[in-house]
C-alpha cells in the first residue's frame, strides 16, 4: 500500500529552486532541511557556510542523544534528502542505515547523494511514519529530526516505533514544543497564523507540550531519558531563512518565519531534543 500524500510546500519550494539550479538553495538545503545548532549563538555570522555547519551540528546533537554507536541498525524517519544518514555514514561503521520518507522526490535525491562507506549498508524507503513498513523488533534506534510535527499522530508514531524497536531500543527526536501557558491562547493564535504556517511549512502541529510527551512515553512503554532545550542555540537560523525567503519574493513566508522566531525569543515556543528508551 502506498503512503498517503501530504502537502509539503516548504519542500516544494526547495525542490523547485534546486531544479532551477539555485546555487544558494543547493548550498543551504542540499543536505539538511532543518534548523541549525550553534554552541555559541553570539558567534553566528549569518553566512551560508556558517548555517550549513550549524545544521550538521543539530543533526549530530539529535543522534548523539540516542547514543548511536558502531554496528547499529538505525531508522531515520522523515529523512529528507538523506543528510542525517550521510552524517552517520561518515562517522560510524558496520551500520545498517535506513531512511524513510513519505515523499518520493526527496528519496530520489537522497539515493543519488548518499553512497555507502565504512562498511555501512544504506537503504531509502518510501513510507508513512505512522504505519512503518518494517517487521517487529527490527531496529536498535529510531530518529525523527525536526519532522514529528508533520505526522498525522504522535500517538500512532510512538506506537509504531515501540513495535519496530528491539528491547532496550531508543527513539530520539527534535521538536518545537510550546510552554503550557500558551495553550489558552492557541485558538486565537491559530485563527491568525494557521493559514500562513500551512502555506509555508505544510501541516504543523505544535500543540504538544513536554507534559504531553511524558504522558505519551508512559502509555507507549517508553521512559523519557534525555531532555535538552536548545532554543537559544537555534535562534541564528531565523535570519538566514528569512533572508532566503526575501530573495525569492516569498514575503508571506518571511512573516510566518518571523512569527515563529518571535515566539521562540519570547520563550513561548521551545526547541527540544528528546530521547526515549523502551522500558
Amino acid at each position: 500500500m502506498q503512503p498517503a500524500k501530504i502537502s509539503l510546500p516548504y519542500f516544494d519550494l526547495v525542490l523547485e529552486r534546486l531544479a532551477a539550479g539555485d546555487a544558494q538553495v543547493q548550498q543551504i538545503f542540499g543536505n539538511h532541511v532543518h534548523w541549525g545548532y550553534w554552541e555559541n549563538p553570539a558567534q553566528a555570522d549569518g553566512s551560508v557556510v556558517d548555517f550549513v555547519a550549524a545544521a550538521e551540528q543539530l543533526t549530530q546533537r539529535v543522534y548523539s542523544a540516542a547514543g548511536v554507536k558502531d554496528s547499529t541498525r538505525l531508522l531515520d524517519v522523515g529523512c529528507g534528502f538523506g543528510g542525517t544518514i550521510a552524517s552517520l555514514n561518515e562517522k560510524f561503521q558496520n551500520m545498517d542505515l535506513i531512511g524513510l520518507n513519505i515523499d518520493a522526490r526527496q528519496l530520489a535525491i537522497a539515493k543519488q547523494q548518499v553512497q555507502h562507506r565504512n562498511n555501512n549498508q544504506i537503504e531509502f524507503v518510501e513510507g508513512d511514519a505512522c504505519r512503518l513498513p518494517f517487521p517487529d523488533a527490527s531496529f536498535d534506534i529510531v530518529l525523527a529530526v525536526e519532522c514529528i510535527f508533520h505526522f498525522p499522530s504522535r500517538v500512532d508514531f510512538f506506537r509504531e516505533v515501540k513495535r519496530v524497536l528491539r528491547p532496550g531500543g531508543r527513539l530520539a527526536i527534535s521538536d518545537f514544543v510550546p510552554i503550557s501557558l500558551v495553550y489558552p491562547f492557541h485558538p486565537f493564535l491559530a485563527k491568525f497564523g494557521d493559514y500562513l504556517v500551512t502555506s509555508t511549512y505544510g501541516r504543523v502541529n505544535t500543540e504538544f507540550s513536554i507534559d504531553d510527551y511524558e504522558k505519551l512515553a508512559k502509555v507507549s512503554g517508553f521512559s523519557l531519558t534525555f531532555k535538552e532545550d536548545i532554543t537559544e542555540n537555534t535562534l541564528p537560523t531565523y535570519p538566514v531563512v528569512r533572508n532566503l525567503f526575501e530573495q525569492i519574493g516569498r514575503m508571506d513566508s518571511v512573516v510566518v518565519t518571523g512569527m515563529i522566531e518571535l515566539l521562540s525569543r519570547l520563550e513561548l515556543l521551545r526547541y527540544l531534543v528528546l530521547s526515549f528508551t523502551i522500558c
Side-chain angles (χ1 to χ4, degrees), residues 13-14 17-18 22-30 244 248:
L13 179 61
V14 171
R17 303 306 300 179
L18 290 176
D22 189 320
Q24 185 177 39
V25 171
Q26 175 64 51
Q27 190 175 5
I28 295 175
F29 295 126
L244 179 61
I248 60 180

Side-chain angles (χ1 to χ4, degrees), residues 37 57-68 143 158 169-175 177 210 213-214 217 222-230 233 271-278:
Y37 174 91
Q57 287 300 311
L58 188 139
T59 286
Q60 294 183 25
R61 203 80 184 179
V62 177
Y63 66 63
S64 294
V68 176
L143 305 177
F158 266 66
R170 295 179 298 280
L171 164 67
I173 70 170
S174 63
D175 193 9
V177 179
I210 189 61
Y213 268 118
E214 290 173 347
F222 288 92
S223 59
L224 176 60
T225 50
F226 179 85
K227 177 177 68 175
E228 182 181 27
D229 186 335
I230 62 169
N233 307 91
Y271 195 112
L272 303 185
V273 175
L274 305 173
S275 183
F276 306 84
T277 304
I278 291 181

Side-chain angles (χ1 to χ4, degrees), residues 45-213:
D45 62 18
S47 69
V48 171
V49 171
D50 185 55
F51 176 77
V52 170
E56 169 63 20
Q57 287 300 311
L58 188 139
T59 286
Q60 294 183 25
R61 203 80 184 179
V62 177
Y63 66 63
S64 294
V68 176
K69 57 184 179 181
D70 292 337
S71 305
T72 296
R73 181 169 168 81
L74 181 147
L75 172 64
D76 179 30
V77 180
C79 65
F81 299 145
T84 298
I85 296 291
S87 180
L88 292 161
N89 187 40
E90 290 287 334
K91 295 186 177 299
F92 297 93
Q93 59 185 353
N94 301 315
M95 303 281 282
D96 198 355
L97 301 168
I98 294 88
L100 180 123
N101 203 288
I102 201 167
D103 185 0
R105 302 170 302 170
Q106 297 176 50
L107 292 174
I109 293 175
K111 290 175 183 177
Q112 183 179 25
Q113 293 188 154
V114 187
Q115 304 301 319
H116 70 88
R117 58 184 302 172
N118 295 328
N119 202 35
N120 297 319
Q121 300 299 313
I122 295 175
E123 182 181 5
F124 291 102
V125 177
E126 185 177 355
D128 188 331
C130 296
R131 293 183 297 175
L132 295 174
F134 305 106
D136 295 357
S138 53
F139 293 97
D140 302 300
I141 290 174
V142 175
L143 305 177
V145 181
E146 201 175 296
C147 58
I148 195 170
F149 45 77
H150 288 311
F151 300 167
S153 167
R154 287 177 174 86
V155 174
D156 290 347
F157 174 62
F158 266 66
R159 184 192 66 244
E160 280 290 274
V161 172
K162 174 64 160 50
R163 180 182 65 80
V164 302
L165 278 176
R166 294 165 178 161
R170 295 179 298 280
L171 164 67
I173 70 170
S174 63
D175 193 9
F176 296 91
V177 179
I179 65 170
S180 299
L181 289 175
V182 174
Y183 272 27
F185 302 99
H186 191 271
F188 173 80
L189 294 171
K191 180 179 179 181
F192 294 96
D194 272 3
Y195 170 75
L196 284 174
V197 172
T198 302
S199 65
T200 297
Y201 295 107
R203 178 194 177 277
V204 174
N205 179 354
T206 55
E207 297 181 54
F208 221 73
S209 71
I210 189 61
D211 290 340
D212 293 326
Y213 268 118

